[in-house]
Amino acid sequence: MKKLLVLGTLLFGLGVGSAALAQPAYLAQLPPLIDRELFFGDPEISGAQLSPDGRFVSFVKPYRGVMNIWVKGLDEAFEAARPVTADTTRPVRSYFWSQDGRYVLYAQDKGGNENFHVYVVDPAAEAEAATGVPPARDITDYEDTRAMIYDVPENTPGEIIVGLNDRDPALHDVYRVDLATGARELVFRNEQNVAGWLFDLTGTLRLGLRLDEAGGTEVLRVDGTALTPVYGCNNEETCGPVRFHKDGRRVYMITNKGDDVDLTRLILFDPATGQEEFVESDPEGQVDFGGAEFSDVTDELVATYYLGDRLRIYPKDEQVARDLERLRAALPEGEIYLGSSTKDERLRLVRVTRDVDPGSTYLYDGATGQVELLYRSRPELPAEHLAEMQALRYPARDGLEIPAYLTVPRGVQASNLPVVIHPHGGPWARDQWGYDSYAQFLANRGYAVLQINFRGSTGYGKAFLNAGNNEWGTGAMQHDLSDGVQYLIDQGIADPQRVAIFGGSYGGYATLAGLAFTPELYAAGISYVGPSNLLTLLKSIPPYWGPIRKIFDVRLGDADDPEDRERLKAQSPLFSADKIRAPLLVIQGANDPRVKQQESDQIVVALRDRGFPVEYLVAPDEGHGFSGKENRLAVAVAIEQFFAEHLGGRAQQDMPEAIAEKLDALTVDVASVEMPELPDADAAAGAERAALPEADGSALAPASMTYALTLQTMGQEIALDMNRTIEAATFEDRPVWRVVDAVTLPPQMGGSTALDTFDVDKGTLRPVRRDVVGMGSMSFRFTDEAITGKLSNMGQTLPVNVALDAPVFGDGAGLELAVAGLPLAAGYTTTLRLYDPLMQRVRPMKLSVAGAEAVETPAGTFETLVVQIDPLDGDEGGTTTLHVTTAAPHYAVQGVSKLPAAMGGGTMKVTLTSMSSGGSN
């Protein structure tokens, strides 16, 4: 297959050419080839923590072939350690000790779906025979739920505070959870779109954080069940609380609020009075505030740190200053990271990492100054053969200085080398100096690696961050990568015929964008869980990102805004796939909730259908990045073989049989990939402004109907009854058809009756007004130019003022009345728009008559037309199939709709149980 792909490249005249594939002479000067497993296999030991009482050290190492948690006595050898978890499918990465040292808690998802649950294990409990470890309890055992750990209060060591989105997938309610029993107690019901919470040092909920309508940040004081805004910054600024001061009154906050402030700084803020006090900003004036260290004994601020080209630590306490001086004298040169400590802070774990060392962990005794090596995470990885990472700066085309890191293969001159541009993910993140497995792996194979903190990266101030807004793909963010390539060429470092690009997540997108928008620069590319279509990416954002959704509108764009939509389409590599000239390798996790598999499927199909070289790996048991050992190693094989083929570097020839079998299992025959059913972007764009289909109000007639409703959502089934009346009426002297839906709510929903009154113009069937009362309220007034009104729930009122580019139909009953007046027949199709009050936006839809069918309901047997209504905006919520009477008026007798994520997903089924006509029109 690979020979055929190379041949295809050469036939197109667009590849790197046979001369470029010759083995360059400098390869003989490289250090020995390092086994890929030393880079991407499991570390021998990692993630060590001290128990609060100092009796134990916990860490992560393989157990039965998968990374699990182990525990040993402080004075015991590592060989005496015993495992306390036995996950056989996914490595356990994230864990911590309870405050009293009784339990080890860890978070785990399934297959990379990011629905993390919290598990508790007593390391002193007896091991089970089947697993060889003590039993673990899932204390957040709720289906399709993502748990978020908010606080581990010191004064209630038997409890933790978590967020759970089992009620609403988009919002996390706050609970106290008992570690011994798993019993939970509601602390705050999140119905106000709060994205995060902060607790004081006693474990009391004090502050919330959310985005406002413009994407700015609001800091909210918790006043009982009410939330009071006390601090805010706009959508181009950063602000947020870090930790409460020990006085219990003030809170440390990071902020760059203000026109004359660029870099974030640390302040003390009083939520009661609004007073603030400056604490510190970068003494060198280069980068944002990096972070703060606090004493667990005194609760004082003891150190601050900043991440420039290298890590800088500034002690605020004599003891910490003395500790750092001792550590720097005793440890190898590198970045020092302070890890967990005992409650009395006498003992502390210290980790040292550097460009040629993935991490060594030491035990430091603050009383004696003794430093003892505990372990090296990858002791067999030969540091003497690894490459140095160098910080550099280069000018972008507009003169802005761009920070980056360059890793050049050890033992060779930085001259005319094949280069891999390796953009980071996020994109609101940054690269930093230190060990990077891919940079070292690729350097060992013979490539220079450039990691660029392009504009839009974090850490360099708000001007640099905001310079990336809306600049994906065809804008400055990608230009910074292109200018990095040119810089290396101008410096004589890069062979211009041997430059590739490879990244994950946003870096995968940047790979596709580089190949599509600057095809002359790159000889090959690898996209690892990278989106290809920004429109579908925005429509498939995970529900639990709902509270931060506005960030994407500000920094990437609003897919519902016509102008943004056109730009986003132009910035999507999928729609410029015909410009791609270089071979491409695509890597994807089937369970990825962030960048769904359709993003990779569609670019693979687009290239395959051109007869163009593309290779594809899909892991059925992975999500946004691969965590399984064999999956990681199989990917490493594919990467080094791909680059060796297209850049001319070297590759390890031997491969364990298990990895060869895994690579074969992950490799997808691109001929078998089907284009996913995606929204028709052109139809959506047309539907946003096209004339609405002609609906004939004179075809309607008064009627009374009863429907049985069944809601299936979040594992529950709820049965409801609805009475509907349709009658002629007037509203503000305007003739209307009025439909009133009365739904009797079950006891668990209050037992009251919800009334939905919808008036539509008697001629055109366009909406005039809608009023809903029951479990909150809605009130809207419609014109062809705007929708105004309000939404109210739980004491909160949200004003609605939506400017319309073109008229709309209503949703719900309003849409069903419009459908009743359309000239429906077999084969009929049209596009339309409706206003969705839950999503608070206008949605383009495609309506088609799929056929005719006889339907039997409790109200009788009806000849019906099958009407399919599909959203064109990429969101499945609202997809509806209606069976309507063949004869006009086309009233619904049966239907099923997909509920939006804001309502928990699932379906709603409707069946007519009785119907009568009457009244005058």
Side-chain angles (χ1 to χ4, degrees):
M1 171 62 85
K2 290 181 179 174
K3 291 180 179 178
L4 291 176
L5 292 179
V6 174
L7 176 61
T9 303
L10 298 176
L11 288 174
F12 273 90
L14 303 173
V16 295
S18 58
L21 296 178
Q23 288 279 309
Y26 79 90
L27 293 182
Q29 304 169 25
L30 292 174
L33 198 71
I34 299 173
D35 193 300
R36 65 180 77 89
E37 185 158 355
L38 297 181
F39 294 108
F40 301 110
D42 290 331
E44 184 173 296
I45 300 173
S46 65
Q49 295 185 32
L50 286 170
S51 65
D53 57 13
R55 296 170 56 206
F56 301 102
V57 175
S58 56
F59 54 92
V60 177
K61 68 174 284 187
Y63 177 60
R64 297 184 177 180
V66 178
M67 296 295 281
N68 277 281
I69 304 169
W70 295 63
V71 171
K72 77 175 189 70
L74 181 64
D75 296 326
E76 290 182 314
F78 277 91
E79 290 75 17
R82 55 197 176 279
V84 295
T85 67
D87 196 309
T88 60
T89 57
R90 290 185 66 75
V92 178
R93 301 289 189 189
S94 175
Y95 80 95
F96 59 94
W97 285 88
S98 62
Q99 287 283 4
D100 57 7
R102 179 179 175 185
Y103 299 112
V104 171
L105 294 86
Y106 65 98
Q108 189 68 303
D109 69 349
K110 294 181 180 179
N113 65 5
E114 299 190 5
N115 283 330
F116 289 96
H117 287 204
V118 180
Y119 295 84
V120 175
V121 61
D122 179 356
E126 185 176 347
E128 297 177 318
T131 63
V133 302
R137 292 179 290 106
D138 183 353
I139 61 171
T140 57
D141 188 13
Y142 307 100
E143 191 173 350
D144 298 326
T145 297
R146 176 186 173 94
M148 300 177 68
I149 299 172
Y150 288 137
D151 198 41
V152 185
E154 187 173 355
N155 62 339
T156 55
E159 298 177 336
I160 61 171
I161 301 174
V162 301
L164 296 171
N165 63 341
D166 56 329
R167 178 185 59 84
D168 183 339
L171 299 173
H172 281 73
D173 298 327
V174 184
Y175 289 91
R176 288 184 182 274
V177 178
D178 187 287
L179 298 182
T181 67
R184 64 177 183 172
E185 175 190 351
L186 181 66
V187 176
F188 201 98
R189 184 180 173 95
N190 182 9
E191 295 183 320
Q192 301 178 49
N193 214 39
V194 177
W197 305 92
L198 187 71
F199 299 76
D200 65 19
L201 301 184
T202 70
T204 302
L205 180 60
R206 297 284 298 279
L207 297 175
L209 200 70
R210 72 179 174 201
L211 300 187
D212 61 26
E213 283 300 302
T217 302
E218 290 182 314
V219 179
L220 309 164
R221 188 180 68 226
V222 179
D223 297 321
T225 59
L227 299 175
T228 304
V230 293
Y231 192 90
C233 55
N234 66 39
N235 59 28
E236 293 194 338
E237 299 170 332
T238 298
C239 61
V242 176
R243 172 187 168 119
F244 265 87
H245 190 275
K246 68 177 185 177
D247 63 17
R249 178 171 52 87
R250 296 173 295 167
V251 63
Y252 288 98
M253 292 207 345
I254 294 176
T255 180
N256 58 9
K257 180 179 181 179
D259 294 338
D260 59 343
V261 180
D262 183 46
L263 301 176
T264 59
R265 53 191 178 177
L266 186 67
I267 67 169
L268 271 170
F269 175 74
D270 189 331
T273 66
Q275 292 183 335
E276 59 183 84
E277 173 188 344
F278 173 79
V279 178
E280 187 180 279
S281 61
D282 183 8
E284 297 188 12
Q286 294 180 348
V287 292
D288 287 331
F289 183 81
E293 292 286 337
F294 294 87
S295 168
D296 289 334
V297 175
T298 67
D299 292 320
E300 294 281 1
L301 175 67
V302 295
T304 56
Y305 61 88
Y306 297 85
L307 194 59
D309 288 348
R310 296 280 300 270
L311 176 69
R312 294 183 268 118
I313 305 175
Y314 296 88
K316 306 300 175 188
D317 173 270
E318 290 184 6
Q319 178 65 43
V320 173
R322 184 165 54 252
D323 291 342
L324 285 172
E325 185 177 350
R326 288 171 168 174
L327 290 168
R328 288 183 178 124
L331 297 176
E333 194 280 332
E335 312 291 46
I336 295 175
Y337 292 93
L338 303 179
S340 67
S341 70
T342 54
K343 275 192 177 294
D344 61 6
E345 294 187 335
R346 176 183 172 180
L347 300 178
R348 180 181 294 276
L349 296 183
V350 178
R351 182 170 175 264
V352 178
T353 182
R354 51 199 173 111
D355 49 3
V356 297
D357 181 1
S360 300
T361 298
Y362 298 80
L363 178 66
Y364 171 66
D365 188 325
T368 66
Q370 182 179 356
V371 181
E372 174 191 354
L373 175 66
L374 285 185
Y375 63 87
R376 302 186 190 280
S377 62
R378 296 180 183 271
E380 296 183 10
L381 188 64
E384 67 275 14
H385 296 323
L386 298 182
E388 294 183 358
M389 176 183 283
Q390 170 193 354
L392 58 81
R393 298 282 194 280
Y394 64 86
R397 64 190 64 185
D398 59 0
L400 184 67
E401 185 179 75
I402 306 300
Y405 295 95
L406 177 65
T407 303
V408 174
R410 193 178 188 101
V412 302
Q413 292 294 318
S415 176
N416 201 39
L417 297 173
V419 169
V420 176
I421 306 299
H422 189 41
H424 63 71
W428 310 301
R430 60 158 290 178
D431 279 318
Q432 66 187 75
W433 186 88
Y435 178 82
D436 183 283
S437 57
Y438 276 115
Q440 291 296 337
F441 175 62
L442 293 170
N444 183 258
R445 268 51 182 166
Y447 314 110
V449 180
L450 185 65
Q451 296 169 272
I452 299 168
N453 285 321
F454 43 84
R455 68 193 81 190
S457 300
T458 56
Y460 297 96
K462 64 186 178 188
F464 193 86
L465 174 64
N466 293 319
N469 291 354
N470 302 327
E471 294 290 325
W472 291 41
T474 58
M477 293 172 72
Q478 195 73 27
H479 296 336
D480 291 346
L481 302 182
S482 302
D483 295 343
V485 174
Q486 191 60 50
Y487 172 79
L488 294 186
I489 293 172
D490 293 343
Q491 296 296 310
I493 297 172
D495 177 350
Q497 301 303 312
R498 296 174 184 258
V499 179
I501 183 168
F502 154 50
S505 195
Y506 175 83
Y509 163 83
T511 293
L512 299 176
L515 299 188
F517 304 130
T518 54
E520 69 283 359
L521 289 182
Y522 298 110
I526 300 176
S527 172
Y528 193 166
V529 295
S532 63
N533 181 348
L534 299 183
L535 298 174
T536 50
L537 173 72
L538 286 170
K539 295 303 180 183
S540 60
I541 285 175
Y544 59 86
W545 284 9
I548 61 170
R549 179 66 175 77
K550 281 292 181 181
I551 290 175
F552 292 87
D553 291 347
V554 171
R555 302 210 179 279
L556 178 53
D558 182 356
D560 296 319
D561 177 273
E563 185 175 339
D564 274 5
R565 186 180 182 87
E566 286 304 309
R567 174 179 54 77
L568 290 165
K569 183 176 180 181
Q571 292 173 323
S572 296
L574 177 66
F575 301 111
S576 294
D578 59 328
K579 300 183 180 70
I580 293 178
R581 307 189 322 207
L584 174 66
L585 169 62
V586 178
I587 305 167
Q588 179 67 44
N591 302 322
D592 192 339
R594 306 184 188 194
V595 178
K596 295 187 181 297
Q597 185 177 333
Q598 67 182 30
E599 295 296 328
S600 292
D601 285 350
Q602 53 193 334
I603 194 70
V604 166
V605 170
L607 292 177
R608 178 203 65 198
D609 288 352
R610 288 177 57 205
F612 208 78
V614 59
E615 299 177 48
Y616 194 18
L617 304 181
V618 176
D621 54 349
E622 298 283 7
H624 198 61
F626 293 5
S627 63
K629 175 184 174 180
E630 289 188 350
N631 288 334
R632 297 195 312 270
L633 288 170
V635 163
V637 171
I639 289 172
E640 67 175 329
Q641 290 182 348
F642 182 82
F643 279 147
E645 187 174 3
H646 300 295
L647 294 185
R650 59 184 186 173
Q652 182 179 346
Q653 297 305 311
D654 61 300
M655 188 187 333
E657 184 177 350
I659 303 305
E661 291 175 354
K662 176 61 70 172
L663 179 58
D664 184 62
L666 298 184
T667 301
V668 176
D669 179 358
V670 296
S672 69
V673 182
E674 297 182 0
M675 179 63 81
E677 293 185 9
L678 302 173
D680 185 334
D682 294 330
E688 286 167 355
R689 294 177 181 270
L692 290 176
E694 294 289 336
D696 181 8
S698 67
L700 269 61
S704 296
M705 304 142 172
T706 302
Y707 292 93
L709 278 61
T710 303
L711 273 68
Q712 293 179 325
T713 179
M714 293 187 290
Q716 301 181 58
E717 182 170 295
I718 303 172
L720 304 169
D721 291 321
M722 182 181 78
N723 294 317
R724 170 175 291 179
T725 60
I726 301 173
E727 62 181 1
T730 59
F731 177 73
E732 296 180 347
D733 298 327
R734 181 175 181 176
V736 297
W737 283 109
R738 175 167 297 158
V739 56
V740 179
D741 287 344
V743 179
T744 302
L745 302 175
Q748 66 265 35
M749 299 174 69
S752 60
T753 298
L755 290 176
D756 185 350
T757 303
F758 215 136
D759 289 348
V760 300
D761 183 88
K762 197 171 184 183
T764 65
L765 301 181
R766 294 179 188 172
V768 174
R769 69 112 178 191
R770 185 181 187 184
D771 290 316
V772 180
V773 179
M775 292 197 69
S777 64
M778 298 188 295
S779 181
F780 303 113
R781 301 296 180 266
F782 300 82
T783 69
D784 286 351
E785 292 77 31
I787 303 168
T788 57
K790 60 184 179 180
L791 290 164
S792 299
N793 192 32
M794 299 295 289
Q796 299 292 312
T797 298
L798 178 69
V800 174
N801 194 338
V802 179
L804 298 177
D805 295 321
V808 299
F809 284 134
D811 78 321
L815 177 61
E816 290 185 35
L817 284 191
V819 170
L822 291 175
L824 302 179
Y828 176 85
T829 183
T830 187
T831 57
L832 52 85
R833 295 171 300 280
L834 59 82
Y835 175 68
D836 187 323
L838 289 176
M839 295 187 177
Q840 297 182 49
R841 57 184 170 90
V842 174
R843 304 187 65 193
M845 315 289 280
K846 178 181 179 181
L847 182 148
S848 58
V849 178
E853 186 176 333
V855 173
E856 184 177 353
T857 76
T861 300
F862 298 86
E863 294 298 324
T864 70
L865 297 172
V866 182
V867 177
Q868 185 68 32
I869 302 173
D870 296 301
L872 292 171
D873 56 12
D875 193 318
E876 291 185 352
T879 299
T880 301
T881 301
L882 289 176
H883 289 78
V884 302
T885 56
T886 302
H890 305 293
Y891 290 145
V893 298
Q894 187 171 282
V896 60
S897 299
K898 289 188 178 180
L899 299 175
M903 293 180 65
T907 61
M908 180 176 70
K909 298 179 180 179
V910 180
T911 302
L912 184 68
T913 58
S914 68
M915 180 177 183
S916 62
S917 58
S920 62
N921 58 356

